[in-house]
């Protein structure tokens, strides 16, 4: 809990999410301080993606509780407003937008984030830099957004967008899934690059693997819509060995990270 | 305005305007048209007299009431001084206004095309009615009998026109126009014609016919820009007839007007002919824009493709009917047709009927049609990157029409995009 005048970077208080009348996220408390990386792990269907999308402001979800970025309540804001304030969601399943090139999309996104029309030349340089950082082939720029991209290519593009948009807090929903070993290294490097003293990261993942490259400050176990346990990196290793069953009876006591 | 040849009819638009052969002949003579044209018109008038309004039971007219497209007064000898305001580019251009000689700019005079009015004394009936005879239908018969702004554009053999010819056809405030174009590309000629429908108001009706004769090994690109002002009603028919090894590209943007029906098509009449019809329409507010496309393969070894897209917003409506017809004597033909519709609001409506009539076995055909609202997950994805709702919606629509724009003439792409852009920017109620 932050009682001081310097609020945590990103906080959730009793966040509940219902979809079509069904409660999926059942009261989440989370606190990510600037400079921290948190991992959120949990079984399939436990509600991790629902939580992440709700934090971004997905319009189909009914959400209650508090969501704050640097103390500012986000709950009433549209997803685009949250994005411009510095929230980023890396999608588990990035959506294709046929006919819209990666370059034109990125320029629109960057201009929106920076609140100014980014000049073409400046944009090109910035895009090239981010492409190089992630070994993204040059021809990506002219291809249609996520259209016909392989799973791994889409994930690289998500990370690349994160690097360009320089969010304050990045919610990365299984950005490490479906990557080959080289891609995993590239993506991990991207996450580490985006992480800095002013940035917070929430990494939703099923695998210990990425946590070898991205050292988390806290690991949260998410089951049936709740964080049932929080701990340090050793918790992830324990999950890898023991699975989730041993936590199934755990009570839903709120846990704070860090 | 009205001269002796005028036949007065009640202004109620649902009443069929009357026209008799004698009045038509007199109208023609008053204009100094050739005797052969006067005869041609008179015959069309008799065809019109026995032609019923289009039958709503037929697919072609299922979605649009022909009674709402009727002009009030035929042979009204309309002229318009306002048309003088039309902006003329430096590239070859003609302005076509009833009762006035066609206004050609210098580039049009010297581009190598033979451009002449149908209302002079010359015999212009050669080829007239070949692609769109009076028997084509009610509006076509009406135009044949009573057209008041006719132009022939002839590309002599082997001419390769570098720049497109723009034919600007202003609708006239509070009045009717019946424009008629005949484009003839002789053997191995190449040309691009931009037919630009502009202007008008809620009292304007335009009943147009465009015939395009594409000779052996010739290539014609016809860009139909329909950007009338609000309230204009109209019916436009365009047909191309393709000889051996001819190529045709018909590109359409349906933007303006209140209630408009456009009937586009090509007849593939010689082996090796290739035709493509591509269109984008973006109806908004309460617009009712109806498009029909047809590819008729009368010769074997021919190829055709249709790609038509509608993105409909507000309470507007798009109707699309498409027909691929492959005649018995046209083996080895290939024909494709796709119509996709994007619904941008709850109350927007898009109807689509793609049809195939295939009378021979040896063909390769495909057709498809879809109508769907924008995927909310696409919008969420774009919003999650900071794009405001309206901007996200516009981007999705731009993406939607992109593959069709890619098929339009590349050298006119920028102009077409600019036209669409003014409309796209209003989508989602953005500033
Ligand atoms: N729109 C929806 N309508 C109904 N149920 C939904 C909807 N969206 C999600 N759910 C349900 O909510 C639950 C949580 O889904 P969610 O995708 O958040 O899980 P997850 O933890 O991300 O799983 P995974 O590890 O497989 O990605 C699932 O049972 C899912 O079926
Ligand atoms: Mg998930």
């Amino acid at each position: 809990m932050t009682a001081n005048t310097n609020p945590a970077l990103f906080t959730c208080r009793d966040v509940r999410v219902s979809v079509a009348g069904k409660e999926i996220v059942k009261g989440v408390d989370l606190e990510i301080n600037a400079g921290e990386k948190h991992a959120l792990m949990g079984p399939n269907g436990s509600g991790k993606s629902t939580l992440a999308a709700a934090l971004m402001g997905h319009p189909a979800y009914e959400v209650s509780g508090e969501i704050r970025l640097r103390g500012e309540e986000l709950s009433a804001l549209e997803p685009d407003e949250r994005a411009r304030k510095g929230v980023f969601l890396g999608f588990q399943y990035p959506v294709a937008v046929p006919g819209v090139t990666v370059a034109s999309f990125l320029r629109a996104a960057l201009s929106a984030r920076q609140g100014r029309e980014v000049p073409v030349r400046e944009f090109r340089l910035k895009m090239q830099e981010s492409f190089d950082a992630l070994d993204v082939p040059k021809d990506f720029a002219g291809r249609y957004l996520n259209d016909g991209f392989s799973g791994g290519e889409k994930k690289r593009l998500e990370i690349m967008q994160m690097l360009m948009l320089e969010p304050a807090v990045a919610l990365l929903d299984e950005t490490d899934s479906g990557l080959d070993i080289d891609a995993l290294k590239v993506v991990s490097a991207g996450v580490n690059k985006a992480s800095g003293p002013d940035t917070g990261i929430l990494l939703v993942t099923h695998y210990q693997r990425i946590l070898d490259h991205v050292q988390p400050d806290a690991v949260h176990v998410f089951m049936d819509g709740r964080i049932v346990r929080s701990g340090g990196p050793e918790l992830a290793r324990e999950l890898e060995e023991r699975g989730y069953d041993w936590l199934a009876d755990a009570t839903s006591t709120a846990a704070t990270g860090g | 305005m009205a001269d002796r040849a005028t036949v007065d009819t009640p202004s109620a638009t649902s009443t069929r305007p009357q026209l008799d052969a004698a009045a038509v002949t007199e109208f023609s003579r008053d204009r100094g048209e050739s005797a052969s044209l006067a005869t041609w018109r008179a015959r069309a008038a008799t065809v019109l007299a026995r032609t019923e309004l289009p039958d709503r039971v037929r697919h072609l007219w299922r979605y649009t009431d022909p009674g709402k497209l009727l002009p009030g007064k035929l042979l009204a000898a309309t002229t318009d001084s306002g048309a003088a305001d039309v902006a003329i580019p430096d590239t070859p251009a003609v302005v076509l206004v009833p009762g006035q000689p066609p206004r050609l700019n210098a580039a049009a005079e010297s581009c190598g095309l033979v451009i002449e009015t149908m209302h002079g004394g010359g015999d212009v009936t050669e080829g007239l009615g070949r692609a769109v005879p009076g028997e084509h239908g009610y509006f076509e018969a009406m135009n044949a009998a009573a057209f008041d702004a006719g132009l022939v554009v002839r590309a002599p053999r082997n001419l390769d026109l570098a720049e497109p010819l723009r034919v600007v056809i202003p609708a006239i405030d509070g009045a009717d126009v019946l424009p008629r174009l005949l484009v003839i590309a002789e053997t191995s000629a190449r040309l691009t014609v931009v037919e630009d429908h502009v202007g008008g108001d809620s009292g304007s009706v335009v009943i147009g016919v465009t015939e395009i004769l594409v000779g052996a090994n010739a290539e014609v690109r016809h860009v139909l820009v329909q950007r009338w002002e609000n309230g204009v009603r109209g019916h436009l028919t365009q047909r191309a007839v393709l000889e051996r090894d001819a190529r045709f590209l018909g590109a359409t943007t349906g933007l303006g007007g209140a209630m408009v029906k456009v009937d586009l098509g090509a007849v593939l009449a010689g082996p090796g002919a290739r035709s493509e019809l591509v269109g984008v329409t973006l109806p908004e507010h309460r617009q009712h824009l109806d498009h029909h496309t047809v590819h008729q393969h009368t010769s074997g070894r021919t190829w055709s493709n249709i790609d038509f897209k509608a993105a409909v917003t507000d309470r507007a409506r798009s109707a699309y009917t498409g027909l691929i017809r492959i005649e018995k004597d046209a083996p080895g033909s290939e024909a494709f047709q796709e119509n996709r519709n994007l619904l941008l609001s709850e109350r927007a409506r898009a109807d689509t009927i793609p049809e195939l009539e295939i009378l021979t076995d040896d063909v390769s055909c495909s057709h498809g049609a879809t109508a769907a609202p924008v995927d909310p997950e696409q919008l969420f994805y774009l919003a999650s990157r900071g794009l405001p709702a309206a901007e996200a919606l516009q981007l999705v629509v731009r993406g939607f029409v992109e593959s069709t724009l890619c098929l339009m003439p590349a050298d006119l792409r920028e102009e077409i995009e600019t036209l669409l852009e003014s409309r796209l920017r209003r989508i989602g109620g953005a500033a």
Side-chain angles (χ1 to χ4, degrees):
Chain A
M1 293 287 203
T2 46
N4 59 35
T5 49
N6 196 8
L9 178 68
F10 189 73
T11 54
C12 302
R13 291 276 171 267
D14 196 27
V15 170
R16 291 168 188 272
V17 185
S18 298
V19 184
K22 185 179 156 209
E23 191 174 59
I24 289 168
V25 175
K26 302 169 179 171
V28 166
D29 294 274
L30 186 65
E31 189 169 298
I32 302 175
N33 292 302
E36 289 180 352
K37 291 173 288 212
H38 291 218
L40 187 74
M41 306 181 76
N44 293 132
S46 55
K48 305 179 298 295
S49 293
T50 305
L51 173 65
L55 297 179
M56 191 71 240
H58 195 295
Y61 297 167
E62 266 174 64
V63 184
S64 67
E66 287 177 17
I67 305 164
R68 292 181 187 274
L69 179 68
R70 297 191 194 96
E72 185 188 358
E73 175 60 71
L74 300 181
S75 296
L77 300 183
E78 296 294 325
D80 57 297
E81 295 172 304
R82 299 184 198 200
R84 293 198 295 275
K85 286 190 184 294
V87 183
F88 180 89
L89 173 62
F91 282 60
Q92 182 175 2
Y93 304 108
V95 183
V97 188
V100 175
T101 62
V102 166
S104 63
F105 160 70
L106 288 176
R107 181 154 175 249
L110 191 64
S111 298
R113 171 80 170 108
Q114 299 195 353
R116 65 185 181 113
E117 192 70 16
V118 178
V120 177
R121 247 185 72 83
E122 181 187 336
F123 165 72
R124 291 258 156 216
L125 284 172
K126 181 140 182 140
M127 180 171 70
Q128 202 46 58
E129 220 173 81
S130 315
F131 272 25
D132 291 344
L134 290 180
D135 284 338
V136 173
K138 279 194 172 53
D139 76 325
F140 268 40
R143 287 176 62 183
Y144 295 150
L145 184 56
N146 292 322
D147 194 21
F149 283 50
S150 78
E153 288 171 340
K154 287 182 194 171
K155 296 297 171 76
R156 271 186 208 225
L157 198 58
E158 292 292 289
I159 293 297
M160 189 217 143
Q161 291 177 49
M162 173 180 70
L163 290 179
M164 279 191 79
L165 298 177
E166 303 178 72
V169 60
L171 316 167
L172 300 175
D173 190 359
E174 296 202 26
T175 307
D176 59 327
S177 294
L179 297 181
D180 61 33
I181 292 168
D182 290 341
L184 182 71
K185 281 186 186 150
V186 169
V187 164
S188 306
V191 174
N192 287 325
K193 190 156 187 265
S195 162
D198 302 322
T199 321
I201 288 178
L202 181 69
L203 205 60
V204 176
T205 180
H206 285 293
Y207 308 107
Q208 163 66 33
R209 226 170 34 147
I210 191 168
L211 302 180
D212 292 339
H213 303 279
V214 178
Q215 291 296 323
D217 300 286
V219 174
H220 309 281
V221 183
F222 197 77
M223 294 178 76
D224 190 26
R226 293 183 181 90
I227 291 176
V228 297
R229 180 163 301 204
S230 296
E234 73 289 345
L235 183 54
R237 278 188 288 275
E238 202 171 353
L239 292 173
E240 187 99 329
E241 280 162 27
R242 299 175 65 185
Y244 294 105
D245 283 352
W246 61 285
L247 285 166
D249 301 327
T251 53
S252 60
T253 40
T256 49
Chain B
M1 289 269 282
D3 68 16
R4 282 181 306 127
T6 300
V7 179
D8 283 309
T9 54
S11 58
T13 51
S14 57
T15 312
R16 276 180 64 158
Q18 299 303 304
L19 199 65
D20 66 52
V24 165
T25 309
E26 199 176 331
F27 177 82
S28 183
R29 204 171 45 229
D30 284 355
R31 249 131 243 270
E33 292 175 358
S34 66
S36 55
L37 182 55
T39 310
W40 192 84
R41 281 182 184 274
R43 220 189 38 200
T46 58
V47 172
L48 178 66
R50 62 164 200 261
T51 305
E52 296 295 322
L53 272 181
D55 188 347
R56 301 290 310 273
V57 172
R58 288 180 54 214
H59 281 166
L60 183 58
W61 284 93
R62 180 128 137 216
Y63 301 115
T64 302
D65 180 358
K68 298 210 164 113
L69 300 176
L70 293 174
K73 202 184 244 184
L74 293 173
L75 309 180
T78 322
T79 60
D80 183 42
S81 44
D85 305 338
V86 172
I88 306 295
D90 295 334
T91 53
V94 193
V95 182
L96 198 56
V97 176
Q100 297 177 12
R103 270 196 283 134
L104 278 66
N105 68 1
E109 298 275 9
S110 61
C111 69
L113 293 171
V114 180
I115 302 172
E116 60 177 331
T117 175
M118 291 190 191
H119 311 292
D123 182 10
V124 291
T125 55
E126 187 203 332
L128 200 64
R130 242 194 84 204
V132 185
E135 288 79 4
H136 186 105
Y138 180 81
F139 290 99
E140 293 77 10
M142 177 189 288
N143 179 287
F147 69 86
D148 52 14
L151 191 73
V152 184
V153 175
R154 180 185 296 273
R157 175 184 275 263
N158 295 330
L159 179 84
D160 190 353
L161 189 69
E163 291 176 304
L165 171 73
R166 181 174 309 271
V167 181
V168 183
I169 307 175
I172 297 177
D173 292 0
D176 308 324
V177 185
L178 285 79
R180 187 170 190 105
L181 290 185
L182 173 59
V183 177
I184 301 170
E186 293 183 354
T187 301
S188 298
R190 295 181 65 201
L191 82 157
T192 301
V193 176
V194 179
E195 180 180 335
D196 194 3
H197 288 273
V198 301
D201 67 7
S202 57
S204 311
V205 175
V206 180
I207 306 296
V209 167
T210 299
E211 299 183 278
I212 301 168
L213 307 179
V214 194
N217 197 44
E219 177 176 351
V220 174
R221 303 187 306 171
H222 176 247
V223 179
L224 180 67
V225 176
Q226 189 281 91
R227 49 167 164 158
W228 285 318
E229 297 299 323
N230 294 339
V232 175
R233 290 171 294 131
H235 186 278
L236 302 175
T237 306
Q238 170 271 313
R239 279 293 177 282
V241 177
L242 280 64
E243 305 297 332
R244 169 183 290 270
D245 299 320
R247 281 143 292 152
F248 179 68
L249 172 60
T252 303
T253 54
L255 298 174
M259 176 163 293
V260 180
K261 185 164 175 70
V262 179
D263 176 354
L264 305 161
V267 181
L268 295 102
R274 294 173 70 84
S275 174
E276 196 153 36
L277 294 171
V278 299
V280 170
T281 185
L282 305 171
E284 63 175 353
H285 305 314
R286 282 169 171 260
Q287 281 185 304
H288 177 118
L289 304 182
D290 180 332
H291 291 84
H292 175 66
T293 61
V294 54
H295 268 142
Q296 188 184 0
H297 294 246
T298 60
S299 164
R301 291 205 300 106
T302 48
W303 179 94
S304 74
N305 184 43
I306 289 170
D307 183 337
F308 197 89
K309 294 226 177 86
V312 195
T313 187
D314 304 326
R315 300 176 68 174
R317 182 166 182 190
S318 169
Y320 170 83
T321 53
L323 174 65
I324 297 172
R325 185 178 161 93
I326 306 206
E327 304 291 349
K328 208 161 176 299
D329 308 327
S333 293
E334 292 176 90
F336 310 95
Q337 171 174 290
E338 185 175 307
N339 169 231
R340 290 181 57 203
N341 298 279
L342 192 61
L343 298 166
L344 304 174
S345 76
E346 291 272 308
R347 307 187 74 172
R349 180 168 166 185
D351 295 293
T352 173
I353 308 182
E355 281 186 287
L356 290 176
E357 280 178 21
I358 297 176
L359 309 177
T360 175
D361 291 335
D362 174 24
V363 295
S364 165
C365 275
S366 76
H367 71 161
T370 59
V374 177
D375 177 3
E377 296 304 322
Q378 282 183 336
L379 297 178
F380 176 59
Y381 186 81
L382 297 173
S384 79
R385 301 303 184 247
L387 273 63
E391 204 181 312
L393 196 58
Q394 290 165 19
L395 200 61
V396 170
V397 178
R398 279 192 203 99
F400 172 73
V401 299
E402 170 68 20
S403 60
T404 306
L405 292 183
C406 284
L407 300 176
M408 293 192 176
D411 49 322
L412 291 167
R413 163 104 194 217
E414 208 177 306
E415 179 188 336
I416 293 168
E417 264 186 32
T418 305
L419 275 174
L420 296 180
E421 207 46 45
S422 60
R423 168 65 54 95
L424 283 170
R425 272 199 293 272
R426 289 202 286 272
I427 287 175

